[in-house]
Amino acid sequence: MPLRLERQENVPAYGLVLAPLMALVFTLIVGAIMFVLIGQDPVRAFGIYFVEPLTDLWTIQELIVKACPLLLIGIGLSFCYRANRWNIGAEGQYVAGAVVGSWLALMTHGMDAGPWVLPAMLLLGSIGGALWGLIPAFLRVRFGASEILTSLMLVYVAQLGLDYLVRGPWRDPAGFNFPQSVTFDDNALMPLLMEEGRLHGGIIIALVVVAVATFVLGRTLVGFSIALGGSAPRAAAFAGFDERNVTYGVFAVSGALAGLAGIIEVAGPIGQLQPSISPGYGFTAIIAAMLGRLHPVGVLIASLVLALTYIGGEAAQVSMRMPFDVTRVFQGTLLIAILASDVLVRYRVRRVEGHAHA
Amino acid sequence: MLDTVVLGAVLASVVAAATPLLLAALGELVAERAGTLNLGVEGMMIIGAAVGYATAYGTGSLLLGTLAGILAGVLLSLVFAGLAIWLATNQVASGLATTILGLGLAGLIGAPYVGTRLDGAPELNIPGLSHIPVIGPVVFGQDAFVYASLLLLAAVTYGFARTRLGLILRAVGENHAAAHALGHPVRKIRTLAVMFGGACAGLAGAHLSLAYTPFWASDMTAGRGWIALALVVFSAWKPLWLLAGAYLFGAVSILQLHVQGFGLGIPSQLLSSLPYLATIAALVIISALKKGQGAPGSLGVPFVPDR
């Protein structure tokens, strides 16, 4: 029997909160089925994956540490997606920011250069990420090349560039030939917030970004022109907003925030450059942005949820010998469920009587 | 004599490297000509590789493995079709979701097979002909996947140009409202096109894990699905240009391997990034020249009847 989607005129406010919750519940059901299929007791698996990480201070700190890059990148991506610009290369911008920011840490290594080093690194990291993000923006504005594909190709280029540096010129000469840089000096490391654990100052920066982004997107002309350009490009053009500037602006912001996330991660929990500095934060942040409905506070909540899939995945890897890909399955399912539940909230599915062609 | 042997081998390896790109891009071309931008190609390719390998390893049959890989690609394409076509969600987001899910599922399925090997698909040497210098190994010494890719290319080219189904499919992609008004089932046609794309991507993945490098590794597609998407733009949505583009990119990836082999002091990472840089360059040049010409009119726009 044919089904038809009818747009609901007044979507109740609770529906907008309900949709992500529905998506979470659906994801958990799919997850339970998956655990059974790979021969695990779903109750035990859920306990290890989702509950145990929330039961002691150390893992809660880890949760916040993992949420920090997702939050920063996700907010940046919200700027892009609100403007209907598809930056899916945040992973590359993250790497570019980490590399550019680390340059200063390596240049000043062993010099006891002073407390200005870390802030300068954060600034450089943001600039590096912004410049890497501006490449696809430029190619789009100037030549009309798809920003989806160019930003993604640049992820591979950035990762290979990082790989070259840590195996080549930036390798620690005293590092037993391991492909990694020297460990950063104290003045190039993020300060820790608690004596035990890895909770670092980056999370404060991220919370400031949440506040600023909430204000910019919600209360300023800039935020309005981004949203208008995304939803009604012709109206935006008539209103005098320049589409090209919006494209450059949102890519610069999202690149800068991804780069900032990269340098914070390297100067924080990792403490040095390595061939791999991200378990796919740039891609998971896409889900964070969507699950958070492109709103900074929503992205904050979504980042914590998604960080749990990383922590749970690591726990399941250690104690149940489950492959880490379980985490990716959860993340992919979650994104699918968000997209679907959004439709089910905004539209009503009706059976169509008779012959109407589907 | 030696030079022709080397040249023949190099050209044959170019064809082999180009085949998964050609297969995946051909499937995506059909989906896009029907109006759906499917960014799930990378995910469908990797799940085809994983399921194909697992099945071939378990049954000892490359044919069953290949079929299972195709089926896996089709099943995953249905996830995308359900979202993007039937729920009319954003196609970019739906495709990304499909790829993320595909990468995760492939990793789960493939995990028990890390470190194992298979005897890869044999080259189907045609007696006599495959010994012709240069041309012999290139044209007559390939595995079945290569021939299948060329047959599919011919079928798609013919189908678009000469069949009623091809005409309807193009109409649906060009202007879905008009096609709908004429009574064509837009969403069914699109679903079929996306399923065909999934089958091709699954086959491309099976080629990777059963013939090209007959083992399983979780990152073995290495962005080939994304390059296939770029190839469709490069081809200006024309099947024959796809052939040229895929073989060009096959040549770039083989070239970087050979240059690495010579040890010229160029960083290997720079050479490894060549296919990605070439993809960006190709996209920029084609976009600058064509300014979107050739793209189906309804590409990327969800269709909801009576809205």
Side-chain angles (χ1 to χ4, degrees):
Chain A
M1 82 211 82
L3 299 174
R4 176 178 292 179
L5 296 173
E6 285 182 1
R7 196 180 181 97
Q8 278 187 304
E9 282 313 320
N10 297 310
V11 180
Y14 67 83
L16 299 178
V17 179
L18 199 65
L21 288 178
M22 274 166 55
L24 277 175
V25 171
F26 175 81
T27 305
L28 293 180
I29 294 170
V30 171
I33 296 170
M34 175 184 68
F35 284 133
V36 172
L37 285 180
I38 59 176
Q40 299 284 356
D41 172 13
V43 176
R44 174 160 178 264
F46 269 120
I48 290 172
Y49 205 98
F50 288 113
V51 182
E52 277 180 25
L54 297 173
T55 51
D56 75 85
L57 182 65
W58 187 79
T59 46
I60 290 175
Q61 281 196 40
E62 283 296 299
L63 186 78
I64 297 170
V65 168
K66 285 271 192 302
C68 181
L70 294 174
L71 175 56
L72 282 167
I73 306 169
I75 288 177
L77 291 178
S78 300
F79 278 75
C80 272
Y81 299 164
R82 278 180 182 228
N84 210 12
R85 290 289 173 275
W86 290 94
N87 176 11
I88 56 174
E91 183 86 359
Q93 294 141 24
Y94 170 99
V95 169
V99 164
V100 174
S102 296
W103 169 82
L104 186 63
L106 301 178
M107 288 302 113
T108 58
H109 177 66
M111 290 167 59
D112 200 19
W116 59 274
V117 173
L118 182 69
M121 281 167 64
L122 297 180
L123 182 67
L124 280 175
S126 309
I127 294 172
L131 290 177
W132 203 252
L134 281 170
I135 299 172
F138 171 73
L139 298 179
R140 155 104 194 195
V141 167
R142 181 73 182 75
F143 302 108
S146 159
E147 78 277 20
I148 298 172
L149 293 171
T150 52
S151 67
L152 200 108
M153 290 295 135
L154 287 168
V155 173
Y156 294 95
V157 177
Q159 283 170 340
L160 286 163
L162 168 64
D163 196 72
Y164 165 71
L165 288 171
V166 293
R167 289 174 201 276
W170 287 5
R171 187 170 60 193
D172 179 5
F176 303 101
N177 241 358
F178 277 111
Q180 58 192 28
S181 75
V182 293
T183 309
F184 293 177
D185 293 346
D186 280 348
N187 60 18
L189 288 173
M190 297 299 295
L192 292 175
L193 297 183
M194 297 172 102
E195 298 225 340
E196 301 278 313
R198 301 203 299 170
L199 192 64
H200 56 79
I203 193 66
I204 294 174
I205 298 175
L207 290 174
V208 171
V209 169
V210 170
V212 173
T214 305
F215 176 75
V216 170
L217 286 174
R219 295 288 167 90
T220 65
L221 192 63
V222 173
F224 177 68
S225 68
I226 289 173
L228 188 64
S231 59
R234 282 171 60 89
F238 282 127
F241 298 126
D242 186 351
E243 191 192 337
R244 289 172 299 179
N245 288 344
V246 169
T247 303
Y248 283 127
V250 293
F251 266 92
V253 168
S254 68
L257 287 177
L260 183 62
I263 188 61
I264 287 177
E265 194 67 11
V266 169
I270 303 177
Q272 64 187 166
L273 274 184
Q274 298 169 351
S276 172
I277 52 172
S278 159
Y281 287 135
F283 297 108
T284 304
I286 297 172
I287 308 177
M290 301 246 166
L291 183 63
R293 302 190 156 281
L294 310 185
H295 189 287
V297 176
V299 178
L300 170 65
I301 298 166
S303 297
L304 289 167
V305 171
L306 283 158
L308 184 59
T309 66
Y310 278 124
I311 306 288
E314 283 170 7
Q317 213 175 0
V318 173
S319 57
M320 302 176 77
R321 296 174 168 276
M322 248 194 268
F324 190 68
D325 295 280
V326 170
T327 295
R328 273 172 167 171
V329 175
F330 267 115
Q331 293 178 351
T333 310
L334 186 57
L335 182 51
I336 289 169
I338 301 158
L339 294 168
S341 64
D342 246 15
V343 175
L344 297 178
V345 168
R346 285 172 195 275
Y347 295 86
R348 199 186 288 272
V349 183
R350 282 263 170 81
R351 278 182 203 168
V352 181
E353 301 300 328
H355 65 283
H357 33 228
Chain B
M1 186 60 208
L2 184 71
D3 284 348
T4 57
V5 171
V6 171
L7 183 63
V10 169
L11 289 180
S13 65
V14 167
V15 172
T19 295
L21 294 175
L22 178 59
L23 282 168
L26 199 56
E28 177 65 12
L29 177 77
V30 171
E32 291 197 15
R33 284 299 283 264
T36 29
L37 177 66
N38 181 0
L39 298 190
V41 182
E42 177 88 359
M44 295 172 198
M45 209 165 163
I46 192 94
I47 195 126
V51 171
Y53 189 88
T55 310
Y57 196 87
T59 63
S61 161
L62 290 176
L63 181 65
L64 282 180
T66 306
L67 291 175
I70 294 173
L71 183 67
V74 172
L75 287 177
L76 193 59
S77 77
L78 286 175
V79 173
F80 172 78
L83 281 175
I85 299 173
W86 296 93
L87 290 178
T89 56
N90 181 291
Q91 293 185 4
V92 175
S94 309
L96 279 174
T98 310
T99 284
I100 294 172
L101 180 66
L103 286 167
L105 285 176
L108 276 188
I109 293 164
Y113 302 97
V114 173
T116 63
R117 282 194 78 88
L118 269 180
D119 292 328
E123 283 141 13
L124 305 174
N125 286 310
I126 298 167
L129 293 180
S130 56
H131 294 296
I132 302 170
V134 186
I135 296 174
V138 180
V139 181
F140 300 110
Q142 300 287 352
D143 56 56
F145 291 93
V146 173
Y147 300 120
S149 71
L150 296 173
L151 281 176
L152 272 170
L153 177 78
V156 169
T157 310
Y158 177 82
F160 275 155
R162 295 290 161 92
T163 66
R164 185 176 154 72
L165 181 65
L167 189 68
I168 295 172
L169 192 139
R170 276 160 43 206
V172 161
E174 209 55 59
N175 186 335
H176 53 207
H180 176 66
L182 288 171
H184 296 305
V186 172
R187 291 183 294 185
K188 281 181 190 156
I189 300 275
R190 284 197 174 154
T191 305
L192 287 175
V194 165
M195 286 168 72
F196 179 80
C200 287
L203 180 61
H207 177 248
L208 282 178
S209 65
L210 297 180
Y212 193 63
T213 53
F215 57 81
W216 161 256
S218 61
D219 53 353
M220 68 186 307
T221 47
R224 284 186 179 86
W226 300 104
I227 293 179
L229 275 154
L231 280 175
V232 176
V233 180
F234 178 83
S235 75
W237 291 268
K238 304 226 170 18
L240 281 176
W241 278 101
L242 214 53
L243 184 72
Y247 280 49
L248 190 67
F249 274 79
V252 172
S253 52
I254 291 300
L255 180 79
Q256 56 102 352
L257 287 179
H258 282 277
V259 175
Q260 288 191 24
F262 287 133
L264 289 179
I266 305 170
S268 67
Q269 292 91 348
L270 178 64
L271 294 167
S272 300
S273 66
L274 277 182
Y276 309 111
L277 292 171
T279 305
I280 295 173
L283 273 172
V284 167
I285 292 167
I286 294 298
S287 307
L289 291 179
K290 299 245 173 189
K291 287 282 175 208
Q293 277 173 30
S298 296
L299 183 62
V301 186
F303 175 71
V304 180
D306 307 323
R307 188 165 74 178

